[in-house]
Amino acid sequence: MIAHARQAQFAVDADMLELGGMALTRLAQRVGRTPFYAYERQHIARRVAALRATLPAAVHLHYAMKANPMPAVVQCLAGLVDGIDVASGGELAIALDTTMPPQRISFAGPGKGDGELACAVAAGVLINIESMAQLERVALASERLGLAGRVAVRVNPDFSLRRAGMRMGGGAQPFGVDVELVPALLARIPEMGLVFEGFHIYSGSQNLWATALAEAQGQSVELALRLADHAPGPMRVLNIGGGFGVPYFPGDQALDLTPLADGLQRQLDRLQAVSPDTRLNIELGRYLVAEAGIYVCKVIERKLSHGQVFLITDGGLHHHLAASGNFGQLIRKNYPVAIGNRLYGGERERASVVGPLCTPLDLLADQMEMARADAGDLVVVFQSGAYGLTASPTAFLSHPLPAEVLV
Ligand SMILES: *Cc1c(COP(=O)(O)O)cnc(C)c1O
């Protein structure tokens, strides 16, 4: 059986995981209860620094905050990246509370409400337009407020990201404007008194294959340059999405940034030749935060059934749907899971980690090898800094919410 890649992103002392310089059991005491999510500030900073060191300096790095909207995390990233991409009025409010200037916040999403659009126009953020009807509603909000909305056109690309965990382009999509409808929409922007700023092209997510990502980036730039001929003004910004994946499962290899850096440099050169004032943005969610976070729950009971070990914990799918395998995965695979206060342990065994919910779906680890654990031990789910708490059905079975800390 293939094992998970070794989780080496955090310090380990005396077989105990450490986050933010604090031993896990001490951190649990500090938080005061289990389960909890903990994110490490230092890891996030290192991650952004490594990206900056590898990617061309001219590429602007945005944080797609739906990956992790905890206000402290978003503030931490606001000080490290060049912009924040939001996808709801709630996320917009969190982003506006940070030190990020509103000019560098952009707002995407197919179902923006009139209230959300009015807030976005008033705040002066860039609105990524996803349909003609949405453009008309932005124009109405702008007229009412006496403020010209800043808009970019989100294009539903005529290609999709190959080998992506989640595709968001190519064919019929609720996201963005179909390529052939874009010229007519562009023509309306100045008629409505709105400010055209550029394009947003997002083709997929969770990709560990640099060649496919670089190929999609090239196709995005090509498409944008083609559409820019129809634009009512200069293309000031081009957001070509992200899709950088992280390794979750056995056999997953971390993304190789070098070919991506080379590819992005080629795209910058191409833009420089025909549209030198265009700012090239990439937007990353999970790549910036997933590995910086863990989910921690406590073993309530160790149970044997037909010779198999079940560690029954106080946490589960209601807090961490993705780790249970029910967040869009086709085949359930184990996230990296370990006993955090006895990482390598003397005695090891095969165990399943389950939660308190009355459903067989409430499974955090299915027959994984780990240190032998008992009631009171702390189970850690790694790679949990993105699509954790806010991507989970917390109301299911009415258990308390987990705590969340940034250390
Ligand atoms: C979800 C989303 C992202 C972030 O995706 P990750 O896989 O977390 O990097 C970026 N851009 C858009 C438009 C999205 O919908």
Side-chain angles (χ1 to χ4, degrees):
M1 207 174 84
I2 320 168
H4 282 91
R6 198 185 150 107
Q7 300 295 310
Q9 64 268 54
F10 303 115
V12 176
D13 185 42
D15 212 20
M16 166 96 65
L17 190 69
E18 286 185 357
L19 251 80
M22 196 179 272
L24 185 68
T25 44
R26 175 82 185 272
L27 177 60
Q29 289 170 332
R30 199 208 92 174
V31 174
R33 62 194 164 98
T34 54
F36 63 90
Y37 278 93
Y39 316 113
E40 195 185 59
R41 204 184 289 278
Q42 201 183 31
H43 188 278
I44 296 174
R46 274 206 313 266
R47 190 75 162 179
V48 174
L51 266 173
R52 297 251 195 229
T54 313
L55 301 186
V59 170
H60 288 244
L61 188 59
H62 281 224
Y63 175 49
M65 69 171 272
K66 82 170 188 285
N68 188 330
M70 184 198 186
V73 168
V74 181
Q75 177 56 68
C76 168
L77 275 154
L80 299 169
V81 299
D82 305 307
I84 298 178
D85 294 344
V86 305
S88 73
E91 287 191 358
L92 176 59
I94 292 169
L96 289 171
D97 279 342
T98 69
T99 46
M100 184 60 71
Q103 297 79 352
R104 293 199 269 135
I105 296 173
S106 61
F107 182 15
K112 303 178 189 82
D114 290 332
E116 291 174 303
L117 291 173
C119 290
V121 171
V125 304
L126 182 64
I127 303 172
N128 293 333
I129 299 296
E130 315 240 356
S131 69
M132 185 69 96
Q134 196 174 84
L135 182 72
E136 281 162 4
R137 291 190 295 115
V138 172
L140 214 64
S142 292
E143 209 174 289
R144 285 205 188 106
L145 296 164
L147 296 164
R150 299 169 55 220
V151 299
V153 179
R154 178 167 179 185
V155 183
N156 171 22
D158 41 14
F159 58 88
S160 68
L161 177 57
R162 290 189 299 140
R163 294 207 191 174
M166 208 178 283
R167 286 183 194 191
M168 289 176 81
Q173 290 285 345
F175 314 106
V177 180
D178 290 352
V179 173
E180 57 277 16
L181 302 177
V182 172
L185 186 140
L186 287 169
R188 297 290 310 278
I189 293 173
E191 291 168 18
M192 291 170 165
L194 301 174
V195 182
F196 170 77
E197 302 222 349
F199 296 103
H200 175 210
I201 301 173
Y202 188 77
S203 52
S205 188
Q206 179 50 20
N207 199 311
L208 291 169
W209 198 37
T211 319
L213 285 166
E215 186 182 294
Q217 287 167 349
Q219 287 173 300
S220 299
V221 170
E222 195 173 299
L223 177 57
L225 288 175
R226 196 153 33 98
L227 292 170
D229 287 341
H230 303 272
M235 171 167 68
R236 293 199 189 88
V237 44
L238 170 56
N239 177 346
I240 55 169
F244 293 19
V246 295
Y248 289 109
F249 307 121
D252 283 357
Q253 297 281 327
L255 184 63
D256 181 4
L257 289 178
T258 312
L260 282 170
D262 296 345
L264 284 167
Q265 188 56 56
R266 279 196 300 277
Q267 304 318 322
L268 285 165
D269 293 345
R270 212 158 142 204
L271 274 175
Q272 180 65 32
V274 287
S275 187
D277 295 325
T278 302
R279 197 174 67 214
L280 187 67
N281 291 349
I282 58 169
E283 49 176 356
L284 303 179
R286 76 184 75 219
Y287 192 81
L288 300 183
V289 292
E291 298 190 8
I294 58 172
Y295 172 66
V296 182
C297 52
K298 193 166 68 191
V299 178
I300 293 173
E301 202 177 289
R302 174 193 169 81
K303 183 171 182 174
L304 284 170
S305 171
H306 291 268
Q308 286 187 24
V309 178
F310 290 89
L311 300 174
I312 301 174
T313 69
D314 57 1
L317 83 75
H318 54 310
H319 296 162
H320 201 334
L321 187 67
S324 78
N326 295 292
F327 188 55
Q329 294 99 323
L330 296 178
I331 305 163
R332 192 201 175 284
K333 293 181 197 162
N334 286 327
Y335 265 48
V337 172
I339 306 305
N341 56 307
R342 198 178 305 134
L343 272 181
Y344 302 106
E347 196 187 332
R348 296 184 72 81
E349 68 177 8
R350 185 165 285 250
S352 293
V353 177
V354 302
L357 308 189
C358 293
T359 160
L361 299 178
D362 192 9
L363 183 62
L364 293 176
D366 186 17
Q367 302 233 21
M368 272 182 87
E369 199 213 280
M370 58 188 79
R372 189 189 190 283
D374 254 308
D377 282 327
L378 297 173
V379 171
V380 167
V381 182
F382 291 96
Q383 308 296 72
S384 297
Y387 305 106
L389 177 56
T390 60
S392 300
T394 52
F396 190 37
L397 271 108
S398 306
H399 285 283
L401 287 172
E404 241 186 336
V405 292
L406 174 67
V407 294

